[in-house]
Amino acid sequence: MKTTFSLENKYIWDHWYLMEENGYYKYFLQAPDSFTPDERHDHASVGCAFSKDLNKWNYLGTVFKANPENWCNTSIWTGSVVKHKNEYYLFFTSRDNKEKSIQKIGLVISQDPLFKNYRLCCKNKPLISVEEKYYETPSPDGMTHWRDPFIYEEKGYFYMLICARKNKGPLNGRGTVGLATSKDLFNWEIEPPLDIPEWFGQCECPYIYKKNGLYYLHFCTHEFSKRYSLDNNKRPIKGDYYLVSKKIRGPYEATSKGPALFDDEKESIAYNSKIIDKDGSIYALFWAKESYDDVKKFTHISPVKLSYLSDGSISTDI
């Protein structure tokens, strides 16, 4: 492993991708490294880079940042980009200074992937906010967790996956993947969360990758319930995880290999892996949450090749 993308004087972390005919656009969170690592969250904006091979990246600058005149006036957090009817939709997370503990999801739309001229959807209000019928608000940490929107399209429906917490169950196992559905990307119906084990305190940056008729639910986490170790007979490591289901809403379960995506060494470094198909091969791209050998913290790492096996598990030993 080695660092393939970093920016001078900046932290870079969570990332998401858009594949076009000429290559790959990488969107990611960035913040000045003059702040502490914890403070970076309050100063995050969305940067963009472009690559034809997933290894050499050209930084294209900032494409979206907080606007003091709108509800998204604090910082911008993780989202996703989709192309629909020749327009680019950037779904994102932000908060309002008037209620900084409440995370909300917004949308901006543009004619180009760099969002040089965009329009904010919904007349200066969030696209969707948390639904207390299904989700916890606020959580014991004082935050309302409702972030990291990812859009998955299938059979004429759009599914939005969201980092959220259930409003019932053991406190340290309420981390879940919230769900909303839409036919037009504007009007969303909030549904109960996906059916996953009560193993996690948070399921950050969730997304679905479909392979061999199975739905692979990927996410990253740094919080675990006591039940995780009991059910898996393994100590948890902050990093990347996946669960598998035959149905999009679940139930999702771990394979015989267990829910960790990587071996312990990679898991201790990797966070927020994204799965990319390229030339018939499948790769995971992630950012480094810790430094290791030639890998520097808060940088993006060279792609790791994956293999999806017949038993539903994922192998990275190739």
Side-chain angles (χ1 to χ4, degrees):
M1 293 185 295
K2 63 180 181 179
T3 296
T4 58
F5 183 66
S6 62
L7 293 178
E8 188 174 356
N9 302 322
K10 286 183 184 289
Y11 301 114
I12 60 171
W13 63 107
D14 290 356
H15 51 141
W16 54 99
Y17 295 81
L18 175 71
M19 184 174 68
E20 294 276 63
E21 290 183 2
N22 58 339
Y24 301 85
Y25 287 93
K26 178 211 302 267
Y27 304 89
F28 55 91
L29 300 188
Q30 58 181 13
D33 66 6
S34 55
F35 298 102
T36 68
D38 286 340
E39 290 172 339
R40 79 185 193 277
H41 296 294
D42 288 326
H43 302 276
S45 61
V46 179
C48 185
F50 181 81
S51 174
K52 291 185 177 181
D53 63 4
L54 299 179
N55 280 292
K56 297 177 181 178
W57 292 94
N58 179 32
Y59 180 53
L60 303 176
T62 300
V63 296
F64 187 56
K65 61 183 179 181
N67 185 334
E69 311 228 341
N70 294 323
W71 70 269
C72 44
N73 52 35
T74 52
S75 55
I76 306 299
W77 291 349
T78 308
S80 58
V81 172
V82 295
K83 188 176 182 180
H84 180 61
K85 295 182 178 179
N86 293 318
E87 290 191 305
Y88 297 87
Y89 291 63
L90 168 59
F91 296 84
F92 64 92
T93 310
S94 191
R95 299 160 296 149
D96 191 322
N97 269 319
K98 298 175 183 176
E99 41 189 11
K100 291 183 69 173
S101 64
I102 302 177
Q103 300 166 6
K104 301 175 182 178
I105 292 170
L107 169 64
V108 293
I109 305 169
S110 178
Q111 297 287 329
D112 77 276
L114 298 184
F115 293 87
K116 293 178 180 177
N117 294 293
Y118 64 80
R119 61 186 188 274
L120 181 66
C121 182
C122 305
K123 296 182 179 179
N124 193 27
K125 67 178 183 179
L127 180 68
I128 57 171
S129 299
V130 69
E131 171 54 71
E132 296 183 20
K133 180 179 179 180
Y134 307 119
Y135 301 99
E136 181 183 78
T137 174
S139 295
D141 62 5
M143 295 291 290
T144 294
H145 296 276
W146 190 250
R147 66 181 183 276
D148 306 342
F150 171 82
I151 309 302
Y152 176 80
E153 183 180 2
E154 185 174 270
K155 296 179 180 179
Y157 275 89
F158 296 99
Y159 298 82
M160 182 188 294
L161 276 58
I162 303 161
C163 174
R165 280 175 55 90
K166 297 188 297 183
N167 60 10
K168 59 183 178 181
L171 284 177
N172 60 2
R174 290 188 181 184
T176 193
V177 178
L179 179 65
T181 55
S182 173
K183 282 193 171 183
D184 61 8
L185 293 175
F186 295 103
N187 299 289
W188 292 89
E189 179 181 353
I190 299 176
E191 299 189 16
L194 301 185
D195 185 357
I196 70 170
E198 294 178 332
W199 289 342
F200 309 101
Q202 296 188 49
C203 297
E204 297 190 298
C205 307
Y207 65 98
I208 282 175
Y209 178 79
K210 192 174 183 181
K211 184 72 174 177
N212 300 327
L214 295 175
Y215 296 92
Y216 287 81
L217 176 63
H218 289 266
F219 54 90
C220 47
T221 187
H222 55 89
E223 295 180 7
F224 301 84
S225 69
K226 292 181 180 179
R227 185 175 161 185
Y228 174 85
S229 294
L230 293 174
D231 288 352
N232 294 284
N233 194 29
K234 187 177 182 181
R235 70 181 181 91
I237 297 177
K238 301 175 183 178
D240 292 322
Y241 288 77
Y242 72 98
L243 301 167
V244 184
S245 177
K246 294 180 180 179
K247 298 180 180 180
I248 193 167
R249 289 175 172 82
Y252 284 87
E253 300 175 342
T255 68
S256 58
K257 184 183 175 184
L261 180 59
F262 298 117
D263 58 33
D264 288 359
E265 182 178 272
K266 284 192 182 73
E267 202 72 78
S268 65
I269 305 165
Y271 210 70
N272 184 219
S273 290
K274 288 294 188 291
I275 307 302
I276 302 289
D277 288 346
K278 182 180 183 297
D279 299 331
S281 296
I282 305 171
Y283 299 91
L285 287 78
F286 57 85
W287 65 271
K289 65 180 185 289
E290 298 293 343
S291 297
Y292 179 81
D293 287 347
D294 293 332
V295 171
K296 183 181 177 183
K297 188 175 182 179
F298 297 120
T299 60
H300 292 176
I301 309 308
S302 55
V304 173
K305 194 173 183 180
L306 305 181
S307 179
Y308 285 72
L309 306 181
S310 59
D311 65 356
S313 64
I314 300 174
S315 173
T316 59
D317 301 325
I318 53 178

